[in-house]
C-alpha cells in the first residue's frame, strides 16, 4: 500500500519565508523526492514553473513564478550531502538546477535508471513504474498543462503533488530490491555520469558531425563549425531555441555561400531581410568574415572519403545480441543500460577498451561477450532457454 495516504495536503510555497521554512524542515530528512514542471517551447533554457518536493509526510509545491521568490534558497537542500535527492528521469530537472544555480544537486538517485538496473525495461515511464510497483494508476489528464498559467487549479496541484508522493514509495521499493540483489553500487556508478556538469554541455560536436558534409573544402567546414558555435551562443543569449534563430539547412547554405555582407546574407535560403539587417545578422557576418580571413591551414581538415573498412561479421553481431538479451534476462537488467549497438559491433571487431568491459557491466555481459568472440563460450538451448557453455 502506498504511503500516499500519509501525506498531508500539498503546501503551496509562494514567498521566501515559507521557502526558507520548507528547506530548514527538509534538511533533517534522509531523502526527499523532487520533480519540476517547466515550459520550453519558446526558449533555449527551460522556464521553471514549479518545483515539487516531498519529505516524510509533507509535500510542497514551490511556485517558481511567484513574485520576488528567491529560488537560490533551495541551494542548501540541493547540495546537502546528508539528504539524497530522488528524481525520476532526472536529466532535464538537473539541467534546470545547473543553469539556475551553477551546481548540480548531490547526492542523487534516479528511479528510472534504478528501474533499468532492477529489470523494468528500457527507460520505463513514471506512470508505468508506479503502476508496476505500487498498483496505482496516475491521472494523466494534466500531463500537457501549461504550467506557466496562473492560478493553478486544484486538479493541477494534485497532479503535481502525485509526481513526488508516489515517487517516495517507488524509491523505497527500489531501494529494497536493489539492496537484496546487491545492485545499489550499480546505480551509484550510473549516478556519477549525471553528477558531471560536462554531461550537460550543448551538443556542439554532435550537431557538427550530423551536419558536416563530405567535402574537401576547408573554408566551408570552417564556416560551418564557426556558425554552429555562434548560433549556440546567440540562442543562449537571446534565450530562444537554436532552430528559431537559424535553421540547420540555412547554416549549411551559409557555409557554402560565405556571405560577407547584408545583401549576400539576405539571399541565403531561409534568411530574411529583417534578420540580415539585425544585430544578430551583423554578428553572423562578422563571424563569416573572420573565417574567410583565417589561413586555410588553421581550418578544419577535410572529411576524407575513407576506404571501406572491414565490417564485423553480421552473424557474430547477432550472436552477441542474443547473448546480451539472454544475460540481461538472467540478471533482470535492461539491455540498453548494459551495452549499445556500437558496443556490440566494436566487440565483434576485437576492440577491448570499452566501458562494457569494466565494472558491473563486465560481470553481467562483457566477459562472456569476449569469451564468445574468442571461442571460449558457446550458446545452446535447454528447456527452451539459452544456455551458456564454457570451454
Amino acid at each position: 500500500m502506498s504511503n500516499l495516504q500519509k501525506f498531508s495536503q500539498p503546501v503551496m510555497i509562494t514567498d521566501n519565508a515559507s521557502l526558507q521554512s520548507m528547506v530548514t524542515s527538509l534538511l533533517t530528512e534522509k531523502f526527499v523526492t523532487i520533480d519540476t514542471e517547466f515550459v520550453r517551447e519558446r526558449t533555449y533554457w527551460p522556464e521553471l514553473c514549479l518545483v515539487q518536493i516531498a519529505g516524510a509526510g509533507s509535500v510542497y509545491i514551490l511556485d517558481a513564478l511567484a513574485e520576488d521568490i528567491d529560488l537560490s534558497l533551495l541551494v542548501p537542500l540541493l547540495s546537502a550531502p546528508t539528504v539524497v535527492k530522488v528524481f525520476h528521469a532526472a536529466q532535464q530537472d538537473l539541467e534546470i538546477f545547473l543553469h539556475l544555480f551553477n551546481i548540480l544537486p548531490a547526492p542523487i538517485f534516479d528511479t528510472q535508471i534504478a528501474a533499468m538496473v532492477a529489470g523494468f525495461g528500457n527507460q520505463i515511464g513514471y506512470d508505468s513504474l508506479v503502476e508496476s510497483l505500487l498498483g496505482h494508476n496516475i491521472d494523466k489528464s494534466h500531463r500537457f498543462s501549461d504550467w506557466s498559467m496562473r492560478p493553478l487549479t486544484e486538479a493541477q496541484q494534485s497532479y503535481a503533488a502525485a509526481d513526488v508522493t508516489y515517487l517516495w514509495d517507488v524509491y523505497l521499493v527500489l531501494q529494497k530490491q536493489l539492496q537484496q540483489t546487491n545492485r545499489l553500487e550499480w546505480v551509484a556508478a550510473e549516478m556519477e555520469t549525471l553528477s558531471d556538469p560536462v554531461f550537460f554541455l550543448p551538443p556542439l560536436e554532435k550537431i557538427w558531425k550530423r551536419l558536416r558534409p563530405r567535402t574537401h573544402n576547408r573554408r566551408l567546414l570552417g564556416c560551418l563549425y564557426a556558425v554552429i558555435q555562434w548560433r549556440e551562443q546567440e540562442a543562449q543569449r537571446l534565450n530562444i531555441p537554436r532552430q528559431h534563430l537559424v535553421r540547420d539547412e540555412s547554416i549549411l547554405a551559409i557555409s557554402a555561400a560565405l556571405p560577407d555582407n547584408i545583401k549576400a546574407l539576405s539571399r541565403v535560403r531561409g534568411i530574411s531581410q529583417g534578420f540580415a539587417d539585425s544585430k544578430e545578422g551583423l554578428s553572423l557576418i562578422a563571424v563569416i568574415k573572420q573565417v574567410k580571413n583565417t589561413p586555410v591551414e588553421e581550418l578544419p581538415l577535410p572529411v576524407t572519403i575513407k576506404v571501406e573498412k572491414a565490417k564485423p561479421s553480421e552473424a557474430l553481431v547477432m550472436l552477441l545480441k542474443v547473448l546480451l538479451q539472454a544475460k540481461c534476462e538472467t540478471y533482470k537488467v535492461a539491455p540498453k543500460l548494459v551495452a549499445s549497438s556500437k558496443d556490440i559491433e566494436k566487440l565483434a571487431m576485437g576492440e577491448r577498451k570499452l566501458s562494457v568491459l569494466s565494472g558491473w557491466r563486465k560481470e553481467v555481459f562483457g566477459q562472456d561477450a569476449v569469451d564468445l568472440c574468442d571461442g571460449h563460450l558457446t550458446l545452446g538451448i535447454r528447456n527452451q532457454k539459452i544456455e551458456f557453455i564454457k570451454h
Side-chain angles (χ1 to χ4, degrees), residues 314-334:
E314 291 186 15
L316 179 54
V317 168
M318 292 300 294
L319 271 178
L320 285 168
K321 288 182 177 179
V322 170
L323 175 66
L324 175 63
Q325 188 66 40
K327 294 290 290 186
C328 289
E329 285 180 6
T330 299
Y331 278 87
K332 294 182 170 58
V333 61

Side-chain angles (χ1 to χ4, degrees), residues 89-226:
Q91 183 173 339
Q92 291 194 85
D93 302 313
L94 298 178
E95 180 188 15
I96 288 171
F97 292 129
L98 179 61
H99 171 60
L100 286 176
F101 309 127
N102 202 32
I103 64 151
L104 284 168
I108 62 169
F109 187 97
D110 188 328
T111 56
Q112 185 178 72
I113 292 174
M116 293 170 74
V117 171
F120 285 89
N122 293 326
Q123 296 181 316
I124 185 170
Y126 178 66
D127 302 339
S128 299
L129 187 58
V130 168
E131 185 174 359
S132 294
L133 290 179
L134 309 179
H136 287 281
N137 292 308
I138 295 178
D139 179 5
K140 305 175 185 177
S141 57
H142 292 283
R143 171 176 291 178
F144 300 109
S145 286
D146 183 349
W147 295 102
S148 65
M149 298 292 290
R150 295 294 182 272
L152 296 173
T153 65
E154 287 188 13
Q156 283 179 307
Q157 293 180 44
S158 295
Y159 175 88
D163 282 344
V164 287
T165 51
Y166 285 118
L167 188 57
W168 184 272
D169 284 342
V170 165
Y171 172 68
L172 291 175
V173 173
L174 283 174
Q175 276 278 95
K176 184 177 180 180
Q177 289 187 9
L178 293 167
Q179 199 164 28
Q180 290 173 342
T181 55
N182 296 315
R183 295 187 185 183
L184 282 173
E185 289 187 1
W186 296 14
V187 178
E190 298 308 300
M191 293 303 99
E192 290 181 10
T193 299
L194 291 175
S195 299
D196 184 356
V198 173
F199 179 77
F200 299 90
L201 291 176
L204 292 178
E205 291 301 321
K206 286 185 179 179
I207 297 172
W208 158 248
K209 288 178 180 178
R210 176 169 54 82
L211 295 182
R212 184 178 60 181
R214 297 169 80 86
T215 177
H216 291 277
N217 188 330
R218 295 180 71 172
R219 195 73 63 187
L220 185 157
L221 293 171
C223 185
L224 178 64
Y225 194 71

